[in-house]
């Protein structure tokens, strides 16, 4: 089974709109729940398929999400990777 893949855009628009904080949310969640070795996290400075104005953008397992704030990022992580006790 392939590892889940999270792509966080680091283009200037997405980074300035909040992906800097989203990176911290992802890293903290993966560490806190012992998922850090089970998920591929890719930080990318691409143009996010031309949707920079909708940022911050994140792609999870090939599905594109826009306007992702830290709360939404945490909800997406919980859905993808349930918290471990």
């Amino acid at each position: 089974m392939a590892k889940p893949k999270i792509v966080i855009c680091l283009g200037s628009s997405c980074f300035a709109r909040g992906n800097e904080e989203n990176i911290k949310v992802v890293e903290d969640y993966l560490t806190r729940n012992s998922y850090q070795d089970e998920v591929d996290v890719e930080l990318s400075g691409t143009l996010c398929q031309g949707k920079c104005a909708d940022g911050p953008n994140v792609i999870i397992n090939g599905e594109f999400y826009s306007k992702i704030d830290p709360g939404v990022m945490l909800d997406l992580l919980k859905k993808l990777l349930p918290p471990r006790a």
Side-chain angles (χ1 to χ4, degrees):
M1 182 176 190
K3 289 182 177 183
K5 185 173 182 179
I6 301 170
V7 180
I8 301 172
C9 181
L10 292 182
S12 58
S13 179
C14 285
F15 193 76
R17 291 173 188 240
N19 265 352
E20 178 179 18
E21 185 63 29
N22 285 332
I23 292 168
K24 293 174 188 172
V25 169
V26 170
E27 289 174 340
D28 181 57
Y29 186 86
L30 296 179
T31 300
R32 195 174 58 237
N33 291 284
S34 301
Y35 280 117
Q36 63 267 34
D37 294 328
E38 298 178 38
V39 180
D40 287 329
V41 178
E42 179 181 321
L43 304 177
S44 174
T46 66
L47 295 177
C48 290
Q49 302 173 8
K51 298 181 180 180
C52 296
D54 294 330
N57 299 313
V58 174
I59 301 170
I60 299 176
N61 290 337
E63 190 166 343
F64 188 88
Y65 298 91
S66 60
K67 299 184 181 175
I68 302 301
D69 65 33
V72 172
M73 186 76 245
L74 189 56
D75 289 344
L76 290 171
L77 289 170
K78 287 178 181 176
K79 185 177 179 181
L80 176 68
L81 306 161
R84 294 180 172 169

